[in-house]
Every structure is written in C-alpha cells, then in structure tokens.
Amino acid sequence: MKKILFLFTIALNFFSAITYSQQIVEQGSIEELRKLVIEELILSDSLEEKPLKDIQGSILIAVSDDLKLSVEIFQKLESSNFKNLPPEIIESFTLQAIALDLSVYRKCVLVFPFILRVSKIEVFEKRMEEVITEILPEQRFENVSCVEYQAPYIGKLVP
Amino acid sequence: MRATYPVIFICTLFFSHLAFGQADSSLLANKNIRSQLIRELIFHHPPTGETKKYQGYNLLVFVDGDLEVQVSILESNFSSVPRSINQEYVNSFKKNLSEEDLIIFKHCLLVIPVLHVVDSSFEQESNVAEGINSMVPKVRFKNFGCVKFMKPILVRRTIRI
C-alpha cells in the first residue's frame, strides 16, 4: 500500500500528462445504463409526485466486484440528504440493469447528476448557485478503485 | 488556562449547531481553502476557448504526504488531460493556508467544480445546460486512496466593451 501511495506522489509530482492520466482516465460508457437511470430512477420517481419546484440531485450507483448494484439517491430534503426510493422502483431498475454487461463499471461508484426544471429559465438562472451545489454534493470517497461522474441529465417538466 | 475558557465558550456558541469537533475544523479549513482557491487560482484562470455565458471546469488539487500541493485544471470539453498551473500561483495559494487547513486533506485529491458566469453588456445566448454539463468532471478517477468532491464554486465576471 505504501508503495502505491509513493507511486501516486511521484506521478503527481512530475505532473506529466502521461503519468497523471494513468490515474485519471477516460470513462466507460453504456448508453443503455444511462437510459435506464433516466427512465426508471429519475423520471419515474418524480413524475409520480408531480413536483412544484425544480428538483436537482444525484443518483449514486455502486457496482460491486460480482456486478451487483446498490442505488442511492442524493436529493436535498428538509429532513435528510438521502432520499429513500420506493423499493419497487429500485428493484425494477436493478433487474433491467444487471441484464446489461456492466463489466466496464466493475468496482466503480457512478454518479448521475440530474435536474428537473419546472420553473422558468430566468428564475432557474437566478438560483444557479443553489442548483450547482445540489446536483454535485460534497462527497469523500476513500479507497475506492474507481469513481466516475456521468454527464448530467437536464430535463424540463411541464407543470 | 483561565483565559482559554471564554474562547472555548465563544467557539461552542459559534458551532453549537454542529455535533462533532472533527466537523468544526474541517468546516473552517474548507471555508479558508475555498476563499484562497477563488482569490489565488480561479480568478487568474478563466476557461479557455470562446467566451460563453456559462462555462465550467474542474480544479484538481492534490495534497501529498509532505503537504505539498499540486494543482491542475480539467476542462472536460477538450480532453481528459489536465492543464497544469504555474507553480507561482500554487505558492501564493498555499501561502495563506495553515498546516491545519491542509492536514485533513493529506493524500487526498480534491476535485472542485467551478462554474464561470459571464455577464456581458452584449446580449448573450444562454447556454445553461451546456455550462452545467461542462462543470461535471467526465473522467474516471482510478485507485486514489481519497478523492474528495468539494462543493462547486460559482464565479461571476462582467465584461463591458
């Protein structure tokens, strides 16, 4: 472990693009997974509740070594920061997701930021600071072999 | 010894909404680091390319075991190779930080999403979605002992012609 840390330090010290990019590499990408996250998790949950305000947050998906999934949704609520999704929504998502080949995400934590806008664009732009801090919440990952943020989903809901 | 009591009392009042001593110091360190990041690094490094209303990038700050700091900028719109920052800026960033500010981030890679907003006297096309998108680091962070994604920073500039 010490040796690995030492190597990191060296790589970052020299800061040459090549050694650095060994630690920061291109993302894996599965369009179908993204589609599932949007349709099954982001939209299905919020459409039921018919939001009156803009909703922003992140979906966190951890893929285990044996490609099992765990899902959490980070959305700022008055009571807590983590919202519990109904188990049937998670189950339906997981069933469809494990049918995909997720091996590029083995041992990865995936973060899908999302915004569902209800308000007018002018109103939305005024609260930009709040929006960005809520779609990308503070997170500390320790000893994870892979963390990957995905392109945010930005949708408009018709009230 | 007696003199320290009022100080402790004031601190307790100030932080009474927080439950843990640990959280206090990291909160202060965070605040200090954020203001230094804005003043010494972000301010001097606008996003490259044509000026748009909303444009984002990520600051990558690595604090090593000796509390040495390296900083680079990851512009997700261009490539996944970070653009390095002149050490002079990094030195002035470090100058105003204490050891305590950095010690909680030892061996950590800090990722700070930054959104630049340009207010111009010209009418600009609003590219909100594109701007928010460019603020998300679209790379894979592999095998880091610690990666901390910090609260995004929004900076505004005004351009008058």
Side-chain angles (χ1 to χ4, degrees), chain B residues 7 61 89 93 107 124 142 145 149:
Chain B
V7 177
V61 178
Y89 292 112
F93 162 67
H107 297 304
Q124 289 164 291
K142 248 179 113 179
F149 290 83

Side-chain angles (χ1 to χ4, degrees), chain A residues 7-24:
Chain A
L7 282 178
F8 281 155
T9 318
I10 298 262
L12 287 153
N13 265 333
F14 283 108
F15 235 78
S16 92
I18 299 156
T19 41
Y20 196 73
S21 64
Q22 282 169 346
Q23 317 307 329
I24 295 178

